[in-house]
Amino acid sequence: MRQSLWIGLLSLVMLMGTVNSARGSDQHTWVGRQVMAKSARSRPRIGDRPSSKTIICVRTVGRTKGNWLSVGDGWLRHDEVVAIDDAVAWFTAQIHERPSAFSYVSRAAARCAHGDYHGAEADCVAALRIQPHFDAAYYYRAAAQAARGRFAEAVGDYTAAIRLNPRLTGAYLDRGAARLKLSDYRGSLADVNTALRLAPRTPDAYYVRGVARFHLHQYQGALADLNVALRANPARAVAYDIRGACKQELGQVAEAMRDFDKALELDPDSVSARAHRDHLRMARAAGN
């Protein structure tokens, strides 16, 4: 999601094209691109009703139909979105014209996508001065804090977001991930279980829960969760490493070794996977 920022605003030709111009060779130009809604009024539609999910987030266009873009949780017209590469400039222009909490938090989300976490935090503070009870402002400030390694502060802001919006699935999941970093494994497990009740098809939640369960010595449950996570994302080296550690604890030595090997194939610099594999090799050589 971190991509270089274009200086100009999104081309008016791309934003204001007609239905006909979006067809044929131009129809697929949006597919695979990351976009953000330009206005709080622009909510993805599912049939004749708007999506219930938060409007302030980065979405990936899956497919197009005329001048409509499928963004996972519904459909938006292409004149309702701004490409992520142009989002910071777009919302900066909106803030200069008429400051709003929506524009500040949207710019914060775009800045997070570009790795500008300090700027994202400042935007969320500005949004909260305008609208003190804005759940998305707490959420993105928490995300920026977590990215900067300030996990305790992130947990506090995720908690504030959840108080304002108890159905904010991402806040439970991300708070669970932050609690992992603080070694609060039971708190992490509780958060991810809530996230999965709200949105069962969330592969990252299974990964986080698998890690929490491993640290709580719930190895069978951890193994089941990591299997789900790896089916969704087979390139996640750390998941193979932790799954291998689970298998070793369960006495599945040969399978554990294969997982450590796979983790190192995907990430040759993984200190943890190398240490696990070396330890297992020494144990096997000693006949343990």
Side-chain angles (χ1 to χ4, degrees), residues 278-288:
D278 290 347
H279 182 269
L280 182 55
R281 281 176 172 172
M282 288 188 291
R284 293 175 74 179
N288 295 330

Side-chain angles (χ1 to χ4, degrees), residues 147-165:
R148 297 173 68 193
R150 294 160 51 187
F151 299 110
E153 293 90 341
V155 166
D157 272 347
Y158 285 131
T159 299
I162 288 167
R163 286 198 191 103
L164 292 166
N165 184 356

Side-chain angles (χ1 to χ4, degrees), residues 40 70 76 95 99 104 115 117-118 121 160 173 191 195 202 217 219 234 244 279 287:
S70 174
L76 282 164
I95 289 166
Y104 274 113
Y117 303 114
H118 186 271
E121 284 189 52
L173 174 56
D191 275 343
T202 309
H217 310 295
Y219 301 120
H279 182 269

Side-chain angles (χ1 to χ4, degrees), residues 210-233:
V211 177
R213 283 177 161 174
F214 169 75
H215 286 289
L216 291 169
H217 310 295
Q218 300 175 10
Y219 301 120
Q220 290 286 5
L223 185 59
D225 282 339
L226 292 167
N227 286 340
V228 174
L230 282 168
R231 282 196 294 271
N233 183 3

Side-chain angles (χ1 to χ4, degrees), residues 16-36:
M16 302 303 294
T18 63
V19 173
N20 289 333
S21 69
R23 293 179 178 172
S25 61
D26 293 333
Q27 183 177 10
H28 302 292
T29 57
W30 285 99
V31 175
R33 299 177 70 182
Q34 291 179 320
V35 300
M36 296 185 67

